[in-house]
Amino acid sequence: MPDPRAHHFVTHYSDMHDLVAGLVVPEQAPAYVASVLETSRELIRHSYYRYELTTVALTHSLFGLERALAERLAVKKPFQKLIEQAADDGLITAELADRLDAGRLLRNKLAHGNLTGTALTPALAISMVRAAFDTAALLYPAPVTEAP
């Protein structure tokens, strides 16, 4: 059965496919990043049936991204510092760093009981999870092919 709250955002489950269509996993992403991103996308899709899955999607995407940033930067730091360093090093834009940090803050509020699992609408979750997808695309770009 659909979660009654889903009808504030979509009419049918098939509409959820359109909502997540732009969340594309970079081809060059390592398996653990691809798995996390794919799972996050599917959690948003299935939030049609359980609204709180939007929040799980965000937190899940950030766990994988935190690891990816630590590996790419070759440092072990808290997530906030990883985001800051990635922006300072030019790996991500300042705007993307702000979006990731907003997700990080939400994740922390959830972890400390200051927010509930209903904190994110599907649209907001998609926007925040998209930051993880956009960051992964920058960390794992497609190889440049030369014209024949």
Side-chain angles (χ1 to χ4, degrees), residues 1-123:
M1 293 295 297
D3 188 308
R5 297 167 287 186
H7 292 291
H8 296 289
F9 305 99
V10 296
T11 306
H12 303 287
Y13 176 71
S14 61
D15 298 331
M16 297 301 288
H17 303 308
D18 295 333
L19 283 178
V20 300
L23 299 177
V24 179
V25 177
E27 288 184 31
Q28 301 303 312
Y32 76 90
V33 172
S35 176
V36 164
L37 294 178
E38 289 167 352
T39 299
S40 296
R41 181 184 57 221
E42 294 311 307
L43 285 165
I44 292 172
R45 187 187 321 262
H46 293 293
S47 69
Y48 180 80
Y49 297 107
R50 180 66 181 180
Y51 192 82
E52 289 80 359
L53 291 178
T54 58
T55 306
V56 176
L58 170 64
T59 58
H60 193 69
S61 71
L62 294 179
F63 291 141
L65 189 60
E66 185 172 2
R67 178 179 166 196
L69 283 172
E71 287 180 3
R72 178 65 187 268
L73 295 168
V75 295
K76 185 173 180 154
K77 294 181 178 181
F79 193 30
Q80 179 180 6
K81 297 297 181 189
L82 292 172
I83 294 168
E84 291 170 1
Q85 184 175 339
D88 290 346
D89 291 358
L91 290 176
I92 61 174
T93 65
E95 186 266 337
L96 191 52
D98 288 344
R99 290 170 45 208
L100 290 174
D101 198 52
R104 180 194 63 80
L105 289 170
L106 245 167
R107 180 184 77 173
N108 290 351
K109 287 179 180 181
L110 286 163
H112 297 287
N114 298 326
L115 285 177
T116 67
T118 60
L120 295 178
T121 64

